[in-house]
């Protein structure tokens, strides 16, 4: 089953795995308003689908996503005075459209895996940060380069990055905008692991995850996302609620019978 916007984002679902492809290869998947809208719309669709066990987020062509379209920077140069933000209906914790393009992946119930190759700059890197797992090519180039354009990361990056790499490294990366390779990204904690073919590895991992109990994998995602964000007692109570709903459920009983050969 597939749906596709040939100008911005393509979505294909097969065997429980949803592949989301940023699809502006001629622009290295640069972000403009239609791209942001298409990403959010795709994420919203996946929030409602119960036939998806895992999601792979990738980019067409030679880059994952090179960041904001240059036309956006040109518009900034011509602007005088503070930017007027058009109010939007909040999506989870995110109010701004660009933030929603990142935050939506945390709201998708299924685990999300980003397959990063080529360039992941600025907003492109922040979209990858919205995924639960990041597989990167060793020679991929990643950068929060907003500071080099006189701005700051504004797509959830300042909130997501410290949890992954620590506050000091997060500040160093955001204050310099320096590029790091996929290899260094793994060492810093910015990426999960490096793969020669991140898309193939992400698809294989997604297939493995999608083969497990949907209710269990979704519970794992919810619980891990609580860690460090709520008091410990609240997190432990959430564990007990989740396990109480899983044990003895029809899906869990079927898993046990299958493993016992019954």
């Amino acid at each position: 089953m597939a749906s596709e916007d040939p100008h911005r984002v393509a979505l294909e679902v097969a065997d429980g795995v949803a592949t989301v492809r940023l699809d502006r290869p001629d622009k290295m998947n640069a972000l403009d308003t239609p791209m942001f809208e298409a990403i959010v719309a795709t994420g919203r669709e996946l929030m409602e689908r119960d036939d998806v066990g895992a999601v792979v987020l990738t980019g067409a062509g030679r880059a994952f996503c090179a960041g904001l379209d240059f036309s956006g920077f040109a518009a900034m140069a011509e602007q005088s005075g503070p930017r007027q933000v058009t109010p939007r209906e909040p999506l989870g914790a995110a109010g701004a459209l660009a933030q929603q393009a990142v935050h939506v992946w945390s709201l998708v119930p299924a685990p999300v895996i980003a397959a990063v190759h080529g360039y992941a700059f600025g907003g492109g890197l922040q979209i990858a940060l919205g995924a639960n797992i990041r597989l990167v090519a060793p020679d991929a180039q990643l950068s929060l380069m907003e500071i080099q354009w006189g701005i700051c990361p504004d797509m959830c990056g300042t909130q997501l990055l410290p949890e992954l790499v620590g506050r000091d490294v997060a500040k160093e990366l955001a204050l310099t905008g320096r590029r790091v390779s996929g290899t260094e990204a793994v060492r810093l904690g910015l990426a999960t692991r490096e793969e020669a073919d991140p898309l193939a590895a992400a698809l294989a991992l997604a297939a493995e995850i999608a083969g497990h109990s949907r209710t269990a994998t979704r519970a794992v995602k919810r619980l891990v996302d609580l860690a460090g964000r709520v008091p410990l007692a609240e997190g432990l109570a959430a564990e007990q609620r989740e396990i109480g709903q899983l044990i003895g459920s029809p899906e869990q009983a079927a898993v046990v019978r299958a493993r016992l050969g019954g």
Side-chain angles (χ1 to χ4, degrees), residues 2 16 45 48 71 83 99 102 116 148 159 165 172 183 185 231 237:
E45 178 178 344
E48 303 301 324
S71 63
R83 181 181 68 178
Q99 291 176 329
V102 176
V116 180
Q148 297 183 9
Q159 304 306 298
V165 301
E172 187 257 336
T183 299

Side-chain angles (χ1 to χ4, degrees), residues 19-30 56-67 113-122 124-125 127-128 133-143 179-183 185 191 193-202:
T19 302
V20 177
R21 185 175 71 249
L22 308 183
D23 205 11
R24 288 184 85 196
D26 57 322
K27 299 287 187 181
M28 291 196 291
N29 304 315
V56 172
L57 184 57
T58 187
R62 61 193 183 95
F64 177 78
C65 177
I113 305 163
V116 180
H117 70 289
Y119 303 109
F121 290 160
L125 175 53
I127 288 172
I133 297 168
R134 283 159 295 283
L135 306 184
V136 297
D139 60 352
Q141 296 289 304
L142 297 82
S143 171
R179 300 185 187 189
V180 300
S181 68
T183 299
R193 67 172 187 256
E194 62 180 80
E195 295 283 353
D197 186 339
L199 178 57

Side-chain angles (χ1 to χ4, degrees), residues 112-178:
V112 180
I113 305 163
V116 180
H117 70 289
Y119 303 109
F121 290 160
L125 175 53
Q126 291 174 84
I127 288 172
L129 294 180
N132 306 121
I133 297 168
R134 283 159 295 283
L135 306 184
V136 297
D139 60 352
Q141 296 289 304
L142 297 82
S143 171
L144 278 181
M145 57 172 46
E146 284 83 356
I147 197 70
Q148 297 183 9
W149 293 91
I151 56 176
C152 64
D154 67 333
M155 291 172 55
C156 306
T158 62
Q159 304 306 298
L160 296 175
L161 193 59
E163 183 177 63
L164 297 172
V165 301
R167 289 179 181 271
D168 55 341
V169 175
K171 289 175 182 175
E172 187 257 336
L173 293 174
L175 289 169
T176 64
R178 73 178 180 89

Side-chain angles (χ1 to χ4, degrees), residues 206-231:
E208 178 183 352
I209 292 171
H212 292 305
S213 159
R214 298 274 169 84
T215 52
T217 57
R218 294 176 181 209
V220 168
K221 176 170 176 173
R222 287 192 295 268
L223 289 169
V224 174
D225 281 346
L226 288 178
R229 299 173 182 174
V230 300

Side-chain angles (χ1 to χ4, degrees), residues 20-136:
V20 177
R21 185 175 71 249
L22 308 183
D23 205 11
R24 288 184 85 196
D26 57 322
K27 299 287 187 181
M28 291 196 291
N29 304 315
L31 300 164
D32 58 4
T33 297
M35 176 72 99
F36 285 128
E37 295 280 9
I39 293 170
V40 173
T42 303
R44 283 185 178 274
E45 178 178 344
L46 291 171
M47 286 169 60
E48 303 301 324
R49 294 185 64 152
D50 59 9
D51 60 333
V52 171
V55 179
V56 172
L57 184 57
T58 187
R62 61 193 183 95
F64 177 78
C65 177
L68 190 65
D69 193 296
F70 280 117
S71 63
F73 291 113
M76 291 178 197
E78 296 172 0
Q79 182 175 320
S80 59
R83 181 181 68 178
Q84 300 300 314
V85 178
T86 303
R88 286 180 63 88
E89 179 183 355
L91 176 62
L97 174 62
Q99 291 176 329
Q100 291 179 359
V102 176
H103 186 55
V104 70
W105 304 110
S106 69
L107 303 177
V108 172
V112 180
I113 305 163
V116 180
H117 70 289
Y119 303 109
F121 290 160
L125 175 53
Q126 291 174 84
I127 288 172
L129 294 180
N132 306 121
I133 297 168
R134 283 159 295 283
L135 306 184
V136 297

